[in-house]
Amino acid sequence: MVEQPSPSNEINNQNQLSFIQKHPLAACLIVVFIAYSCYGIYSIIYPPTNGYQSAYLDNEHIYFNVSLIHQSQEHHLLSKDIEYKNIDSISEPISIPSNYLSYIKSNQSIIMKVIVKPLTKYNNQPLIFKSPILRTFKPIPQTHNLMNENNITTSTNDLNFTLGCIPYFEISFMNQVVDPHNIPPECGIIHYNGIKKRIAPIIFHNTFWLIKDYYTPINDTIQNLNISLKITSISYFKMIMMHSLGHSFSMHEHMGTMAQDQIDEFKRIFMETNIILLIITTTVSTLHTIFDFLAYKNDIQFWSKRDHFVGLSIKSIFVSLAIEIIVLLYLIDNDTSLLILLSNGVGLLITLWKLTRVFTFNFKEKGSFIQYKDLSYQNSKTKLYDDIALKYLGIACIPLCIGYAIYSLYNNEFKSWYSYILSLLVGLVYTFGFLQMTPQLFINYKLKSVANLPWRVFVYKFLNTIVDDLFAFVIKMPTLHRIACFRDDVIFLIYLYQRWIYPVDKNRMDSLQWEDDEPMTLKADNSSSNFHEKQE
């Protein structure tokens, strides 16, 4: 029997055809707009030349002169004459003299000067680039073993900062011929001849890829120091992307939304990550923000509609509150960027708001200061199962926590007792944080029901854990934190299994009106009596 198309599909097809037939001009404008957008993207990558040619021929030469400047003294280091056709990816090692090495160790100002002089008939204008070879970094805090005050290990010097020397001095050539009128002025100085249509490549000192991990740390044990002169050739698109990203990073650092370490980590990902994995991660990370927003939105929507708490673990909210406070204090102690602090602060505020949905706070009348809004919950089976689950969870975890605290105190180093307590709590959160959801699993098992859970919130959070799993392979992080990225997957898989073994009966209405914004019902079996418990 041939399946007939449904009337709704025929109506949709007729509507689509009628739009094209009735509005041919609008359809043509849409096609033109898409074509123009594609042409705009192509023009950014391959801008027009408009008849301009390179001012440098392959057999012509570029002259490089490298020297060090200390106060009024200048010390010549290297002279190099390179053919323009061999300009790409050249690296010349430069050895720092011993007297300049002593200046570097004492943090005196040392400037590297590089003169680039093209020996061509179309362009003989030399360019001079100067840059300090030392960079100061925020010191690593002093740590010591709290049980042995005499055993102090310090990673800072007497000047209260750490020094690093650049590993290379990179000069980049934009090797692509582009109409000079299309090049943004912030990209560099442009030399061109409008009559003979000759344009010299933009030459600039490229410091974009210099990150903290690549700097050579300066200490008393260093006997020799080398700096490489790197000559690289890049395309027009890469050049404008570097300038655009560099400007964006500077703005974020100035506003406090990104720390320098995070900017360096972002650059390191681009340099060291496989391009395919990077594209996948970048694409999915965009969805991470969307899923976070949807999870917060549906979580607020779910709790704003609740007037009873049957089947929900209230103790898990208190555990979540404690975990979020610990993590927020830990991020503040480690000078995390403002953007991440705001994200964690929003989660903390939502958790506090959930408590106001569950409890009423009595400020005037006599009696208990905190009371359940749903008075029947106090003597319900849900609360009984919640207490039992938290009790056995504590019996299992408290000895492990005490053992970890003693081991960490005697074997690790910390800045202070406050740092020790905070690091201990964060370590416990990483290790046992996923256990905050186990009381809910126990309640689901005893009630043989999952009808009360905010499944949309769980779905969005589960999608976010998948994104976190991808980041665990890309972003540099401690091993303990990388393992923590996979722990939530186990809990969500158990939730999905419970969803499967405790199905919902769609043939009858249930008193609970929540799940995916649709009336929820339970399977009519013997176990449903446990779910429809009488709240005494």
Side-chain angles (χ1 to χ4, degrees), residues 328-494:
L328 185 62
L329 292 176
Y330 178 77
L331 294 175
I332 294 174
D333 187 58
N334 286 270
D335 298 326
T336 309
S337 70
L338 181 62
L339 189 63
I340 297 179
L341 291 177
L342 289 176
S343 177
N344 285 268
V346 170
L348 177 61
L349 292 176
I350 291 177
T351 304
L352 290 172
W353 173 77
K354 288 180 184 179
L355 292 178
T356 63
R357 297 294 304 168
V358 177
F359 298 100
T360 57
F361 301 94
N362 185 6
F363 293 95
K364 297 181 180 180
E365 299 179 1
K366 295 182 179 180
S368 178
F369 175 69
I370 301 177
Q371 296 178 348
Y372 284 100
K373 286 188 175 181
D374 182 11
L375 299 179
S376 61
Y377 181 82
Q378 185 69 34
N379 300 318
S380 66
K381 290 184 178 180
T382 299
K383 183 178 182 301
L384 175 63
Y385 297 146
D386 200 7
D387 294 340
I388 294 175
L390 198 64
K391 173 184 175 182
Y392 287 107
L393 193 62
I395 294 175
C397 294
I398 287 177
L400 297 176
C401 295
I402 295 174
Y404 174 76
I406 296 174
Y407 173 83
S408 180
L409 181 62
Y410 279 92
N411 292 276
N412 298 332
E413 296 181 348
F414 304 93
K415 294 182 292 184
S416 61
W417 283 100
Y418 172 77
S419 177
Y420 161 71
I421 295 174
L422 198 57
S423 300
L424 173 64
L425 293 175
V426 171
L428 296 177
V429 167
Y430 280 156
T431 307
F432 304 108
F434 71 98
L435 296 178
Q436 64 175 309
M437 297 303 295
T438 52
Q440 185 63 61
L441 295 176
F442 182 73
I443 293 174
N444 297 342
Y445 167 73
K446 297 299 289 185
L447 297 181
K448 300 296 186 295
S449 172
V450 294
N452 297 274
L453 303 184
W455 281 103
R456 284 188 176 180
V457 178
F458 285 153
V459 169
Y460 293 134
K461 289 184 176 181
F462 181 63
L463 294 174
N464 272 342
T465 60
I466 297 176
V467 177
D468 293 336
D469 295 344
L470 289 175
F471 279 122
F473 291 103
V474 177
I475 296 178
K476 183 180 179 181
M477 62 179 65
T479 303
L480 189 62
H481 189 79
R482 181 173 282 109
I483 295 174
C485 292
F486 297 95
R487 69 188 182 191
D488 293 334
D489 298 350
V490 178
I491 295 295
F492 282 115
L493 289 176
I494 296 176

Side-chain angles (χ1 to χ4, degrees), residues 160-172:
N160 198 30
F161 54 76
T162 59
L163 293 175
C165 181
I166 60 172
Y168 56 83
F169 194 104
E170 181 174 345
I171 301 295
S172 294

Side-chain angles (χ1 to χ4, degrees), residues 33-286:
F33 175 77
I34 295 174
Y36 179 78
S37 300
C38 294
Y39 174 76
I41 296 174
Y42 177 83
S43 299
I44 293 176
I45 302 176
Y46 302 103
T49 62
N50 292 332
Y52 281 88
Q53 298 178 2
S54 175
Y56 295 176
L57 302 180
D58 288 345
N59 59 347
E60 293 179 329
H61 290 245
I62 309 294
Y63 175 76
F64 295 91
N65 186 297
V66 184
S67 59
L68 286 180
I69 300 176
H70 174 248
Q71 297 178 355
S72 60
Q73 301 176 358
E74 184 170 347
H75 181 84
H76 179 264
L77 295 177
L78 176 70
S79 295
K80 190 71 176 178
D81 190 353
I82 305 173
E83 287 188 348
Y84 183 65
K85 64 181 179 181
N86 299 323
I87 204 72
D88 193 15
S89 300
I90 292 178
S91 180
E92 290 289 335
I94 301 172
S95 179
I96 303 298
S98 58
N99 59 329
Y100 277 83
L101 185 58
S102 61
Y103 298 152
I104 291 173
K105 290 182 180 180
S106 59
N107 190 31
Q108 298 187 37
S109 177
I110 306 295
I111 305 295
M112 178 171 280
K113 183 175 77 170
V114 178
I115 300 176
V116 182
K117 182 175 177 58
L119 305 177
T120 71
K121 62 180 180 180
Y122 290 107
N123 178 34
N124 292 311
Q125 300 185 27
L127 295 175
I128 300 177
F129 303 101
K130 294 181 180 180
S131 177
I133 66 173
L134 286 180
R135 178 180 170 185
T136 59
F137 296 99
K138 193 172 183 179
I140 301 174
Q142 183 181 21
T143 61
H144 60 277
N145 191 295
L146 298 176
M147 300 305 295
N148 185 5
E149 297 293 340
N150 296 324
N151 181 19
I152 298 178
T153 303
T154 179
S155 299
T156 62
N157 53 26
D158 296 336
L159 299 176
N160 198 30
F161 54 76
T162 59
L163 293 175
C165 181
I166 60 172
Y168 56 83
F169 194 104
E170 181 174 345
I171 301 295
S172 294
F173 283 66
M174 191 198 77
N175 60 356
Q176 190 174 352
V177 178
V178 179
D179 185 350
H181 301 91
N182 292 334
I183 299 176
E186 61 270 12
C187 288
I189 301 175
I190 307 171
H191 300 289
Y192 68 97
N193 187 315
I195 299 176
K196 296 183 179 180
K197 291 285 188 176
R198 294 286 180 173
I199 178 171
I202 294 178
I203 306 173
F204 61 98
H205 179 207
N206 189 359
T207 60
F208 184 80
W209 301 114
L210 275 176
I211 62 176
K212 180 179 178 181
D213 291 347
Y214 292 173
Y215 277 73
T216 304
I218 302 301
N219 51 53
D220 294 334
T221 61
I222 292 180
Q223 301 299 325
N224 54 67
L225 191 63
N226 293 322
I227 298 176
S228 296
L229 174 65
K230 292 181 62 177
I231 313 298
T232 59
S233 177
I234 64 174
S235 66
Y236 170 77
F237 179 71
K238 288 184 179 179
M239 184 188 68
I240 61 173
M241 285 300 296
M242 282 195 304
H243 282 84
S244 177
L245 287 174
H247 180 67
S248 177
F249 289 152
S250 298
M251 290 183 58
H252 281 289
E253 186 177 9
H254 178 72
M255 293 186 297
T257 55
M258 288 185 73
Q260 184 60 49
D261 289 342
Q262 293 173 315
I263 296 175
D264 286 351
E265 180 63 22
F266 188 84
K267 295 178 181 179
R268 188 192 64 80
I269 292 174
F270 275 97
M271 288 186 288
E272 301 178 2
T273 306
N274 180 276
I275 185 63
I276 297 177
L277 181 60
L278 181 61
I279 292 174
I280 295 174
T281 306
T282 304
T283 304
V284 176
S285 63
T286 305

